[in-house]
Amino acid sequence: MTIKLDVVTAERLVYSDEVDIVVAPGIEGELAILPHHAPLMTMLHPGELRTRKGTDEHSLVITGGFLEVRPDRVIVLADAAERAEEIDIARAEAAKKRAEERLTHRTAEVDIARTEAALQRSLARLKVAEKIRRRQRPIV
Ligand code: ATP
């Protein structure tokens, strides 16, 4: 028994597959969805979305959005999403640094909520990218 998952943004279809389980960063905590889960609609935090199909695991970063469980599928409508291997680490590091500097040297022009959100997006990207990098590191 599997469940169909589509992860979409306004720009593109990021991920689509039949999987055994979806684990998503819900605003009230991690959410595990198995086949035959009751219909549900929830908001998502910036964080990692994981899927597993047999022994095949995938990791994506979601910067926020909505998740809907329908009887026949799970749809994630994300603000932005990248597969772990698509994450540009240097870009995320730069975004993190920019946000941290804005928060340290606050001026009247700095929109704190917007900067905090940018920082959370960059941290989520770095966390997912680092996890994948460690998994791919050779044992010897
Ligand atoms: P930046 O300040 O670097 O643009 P951001 O957090 O403001 O980062 P978003 O608004 O979340 O960027 O995303 C804009 C677009 O750029 C989306 O299509 C997103 O997938 C892509 N994107 C942003 N950062 C990265 C990254 N580090 N690696 C890969 N794609 C990224």
Side-chain angles (χ1 to χ4, degrees):
M1 202 60 217
T2 58
I3 188 164
K4 176 88 196 297
L5 168 69
D6 288 325
V7 179
V8 297
T9 67
E11 290 166 3
R12 64 181 179 128
L13 174 65
V14 181
Y15 179 96
S16 180
D17 205 355
E18 296 276 344
V19 297
D20 297 334
I21 184 168
V22 180
V23 180
I27 48 163
E28 283 162 32
E30 273 207 333
L31 201 70
I33 299 146
L34 293 159
H36 299 304
H37 194 288
L40 167 92
M41 177 90 145
T42 186
M43 283 175 76
L44 299 176
H45 261 326
E48 183 184 24
L49 184 140
R50 303 194 303 278
T51 68
R52 187 172 57 74
K53 184 184 188 177
T55 55
D56 199 16
E57 294 188 4
H58 286 277
S59 217
L60 290 90
V61 66
I62 303 294
T63 65
F66 292 91
L67 177 147
E68 186 182 5
V69 181
R70 294 189 186 172
D72 64 331
R73 67 184 59 221
V74 174
I75 299 172
V76 172
L77 181 56
D79 298 334
E82 298 106 45
R83 288 163 172 262
E85 60 276 12
E86 291 176 329
I87 297 170
D88 179 337
I89 295 177
R91 177 172 169 180
E93 292 276 13
K96 173 173 176 272
K97 197 161 167 239
R98 210 162 46 235
E100 283 172 344
E101 275 167 12
R102 283 192 181 130
L103 292 172
T104 312
H105 308 286
R106 290 180 193 193
T107 60
E109 292 82 56
V110 173
D111 181 332
I112 304 290
R114 190 175 151 188
T115 311
E116 294 273 14
L119 181 60
Q120 292 311 314
R121 291 196 297 275
S122 68
L123 292 173
R125 285 182 170 116
L126 291 170
K127 199 168 163 195
V128 173
E130 172 61 18
K131 201 175 146 186
I132 279 297
R133 209 174 55 83
R134 256 191 274 133
R135 214 183 283 160
Q136 286 171 345
R137 196 178 288 166
I139 297 167
V140 284

